[in-house]
Amino acid sequence: ARLDLSIARLRSNAVFVIGEVETPGAIQVNALATVFHAIARAGGPTDRGSFRDIEVRRAGKVVERLDVYEYLLRGDASGDIRLEQGDVVFVPLNRRVVAVMGAVRRPRIFELRDTEGFDDLLRFAGGLLPNASVERVQLDRMVPPEQRAPGFERLKVDIELKGRLDSLSKVKLLDGDIVSVFTIGDLRRNVVSVSG
């Protein structure tokens, strides 16, 4: 005897996606839907929303914390769990965002956890381009509110590397920092050109 089964219709669950998402509220998802699916249906995190500490609450308890960077940057969806009826997906505010621009493979704004620093920022940015200068980087920083004065709200800090990228691990990155990675020059030294 042979038996063929097919699913004609999946039951749906009502889940709540709240916090810093584009369209917060209750949504209907099928019984196989996961957290990533629910967040996508809610329009994704806003500019203020965290990608690093998304909570799944079930019966009043946090059952999972997701770091979407693991999925976006490495394709690791192991933390993505199936949702159940009444689950709450909470996207909190981000805490520390730092922009990196210039000679990196993925110039963007990234959210850093408290324990993460320059090494993590460069990893998220995909590393340096071949034409990146390893002599210095520049940090554009907002002056802390208690130290501000008219005309002194931002400052630029040159960080000398002298070819040693590991020295960046000592530099603390603050919320709102902008890191610029420069390129090497086009000037070629000790070159003789013969033509004709």
Side-chain angles (χ1 to χ4, degrees), residues 68-78:
V68 181
Y69 275 19
E70 294 297 319
Y71 176 68
L72 295 176
L73 301 177
R74 293 186 24 220
D76 180 4
S78 60

Side-chain angles (χ1 to χ4, degrees), residues 164-183:
R164 299 196 49 188
L165 287 175
D166 57 341
S167 63
L168 287 172
S169 60
K170 299 173 187 163
V171 178
K172 183 165 176 58
L173 293 169
L174 302 180
D175 188 26
D177 281 353
I178 301 170
V179 177
S180 296
V181 179
F182 300 103
T183 58

Side-chain angles (χ1 to χ4, degrees), residues 30-182:
N30 69 48
L32 301 177
T34 64
V35 180
F36 291 167
H37 182 255
I39 291 171
R41 288 274 311 273
T46 65
D47 292 342
R48 300 176 307 273
S50 175
F51 281 76
R52 310 296 309 277
D53 195 25
I54 296 170
E55 295 178 357
V56 180
R57 299 174 184 171
R58 185 171 293 152
K61 295 181 181 174
V62 177
V63 294
E64 188 70 46
R65 288 183 187 275
L66 279 84
D67 181 355
V68 181
Y69 275 19
E70 294 297 319
Y71 176 68
L72 295 176
L73 301 177
R74 293 186 24 220
D76 180 4
S78 60
D80 192 18
I81 63 171
R82 189 170 294 154
L83 293 172
E84 296 180 6
Q85 174 72 23
D87 280 356
V88 175
V89 178
F90 176 66
V91 178
L93 287 166
N94 57 40
R95 292 192 186 128
R96 184 170 58 134
V97 291
V98 177
V100 59
M101 51 193 286
V104 291
R105 296 191 183 277
R106 192 184 293 125
R108 303 258 189 299
I109 298 172
F110 295 100
E111 181 182 356
L112 298 179
R113 289 181 168 161
D114 293 338
T115 57
E116 293 174 335
F118 250 111
D119 293 339
D120 302 288
L121 180 67
L122 289 178
R123 182 169 49 88
F124 296 154
L128 300 177
L129 290 173
N131 65 340
S133 171
V134 291
E135 292 302 310
R136 72 181 178 103
V137 295
Q138 190 174 74
L139 195 59
D140 185 348
R141 175 170 286 171
M142 288 181 280
V143 176
E146 63 276 4
Q147 298 174 9
R148 289 181 192 161
F152 185 66
E153 289 89 18
R154 297 190 77 93
L155 59 93
K156 289 195 177 188
V157 180
D158 278 336
I159 302 168
E160 297 292 329
L161 300 178
K162 297 180 182 170
R164 299 196 49 188
L165 287 175
D166 57 341
S167 63
L168 287 172
S169 60
K170 299 173 187 163
V171 178
K172 183 165 176 58
L173 293 169
L174 302 180
D175 188 26
D177 281 353
I178 301 170
V179 177
S180 296
V181 179
F182 300 103

